[in-house]
């Protein structure tokens, strides 16, 4: 017996569950058409008009996304290190101190360049 049979069974069961729930929601749920329901929603504000060729986003959105990725990756590396801290040697501690220092220098650079200000 293959060890992948339970995994395939769970994928089939999950797919079947999704298909049945989508079908039931279309049959049982209310089907009231409302223009507001199908309108765009942007954080409680009126949606901005979109030009026909697509819209340009402010650079601030991209800077915020890059900052999130930088600090999110830091946490991804810090958490396993913190969990296994007692099993690691001095080399791992020094490496993590260097890693945190590099990220802190990046944070200070962004802070000094006012990358965290939204104005």
């Amino acid at each position: 017996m293959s060890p992948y049979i339970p995994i395939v069974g769970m994928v089939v069961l999950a797919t079947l569950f999704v298909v049945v729930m989508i079908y039931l929601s279309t049959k049982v749920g209310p089907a009231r058409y409302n223009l507001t329901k199908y309108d765009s929603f942007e954080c409680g504000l009126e949606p901005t008009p979109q030009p026909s060729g697509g819209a340009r986003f402010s650079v601030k959105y991209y800077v915020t996304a890059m900052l999130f990725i930088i600090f999110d990756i830091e946490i991804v590396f810090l958490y396993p290190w913190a969990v296994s801290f007692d099993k690691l040697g001095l080399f791992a501690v020094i490496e993590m101190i260097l890693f945190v220092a590099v990220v802190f220098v990046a944070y200070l650079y962004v802070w000094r360049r006012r990358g965290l200000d939204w104005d």
Side-chain angles (χ1 to χ4, degrees):
M1 185 169 176
S2 174
Y4 294 110
I5 289 178
I7 296 172
V8 171
M10 287 299 290
V11 169
V12 168
L13 185 65
T15 305
L16 182 67
F17 179 76
V18 168
V19 169
V20 168
M21 288 298 126
I22 290 174
Y23 175 75
L24 285 177
S25 70
T26 58
K27 297 301 176 192
V28 177
R32 294 183 214 115
Y33 178 76
N34 187 351
L35 186 60
T36 306
K37 180 179 173 182
Y38 295 108
D39 197 16
S40 298
F41 182 75
E42 292 183 5
C43 302
L45 304 173
E46 290 296 321
T48 56
Q50 302 291 328
S52 61
R56 290 182 176 232
F57 288 100
S58 174
V59 174
K60 294 175 187 175
Y61 290 110
Y62 298 111
V63 171
T64 304
M66 287 188 296
L67 289 174
F68 172 76
I69 289 171
I70 288 170
F71 294 113
D72 190 45
I73 289 173
E74 177 187 14
I75 296 302
V76 167
F77 284 129
L78 277 174
Y79 184 74
W81 175 79
V83 169
S84 62
F85 175 73
D86 55 345
K87 298 178 187 114
L88 300 173
L90 182 63
F91 179 74
V93 173
I94 292 172
E95 287 297 319
M96 193 50 69
I97 289 171
L98 289 174
F99 176 71
V100 170
V102 168
V103 173
F104 187 69
V105 167
Y107 173 73
L108 288 177
Y109 175 77
V110 169
W111 188 24
R112 184 153 172 91
R113 297 282 310 239
R114 297 197 177 270
L116 301 174
D117 294 339
W118 193 254
D119 303 338

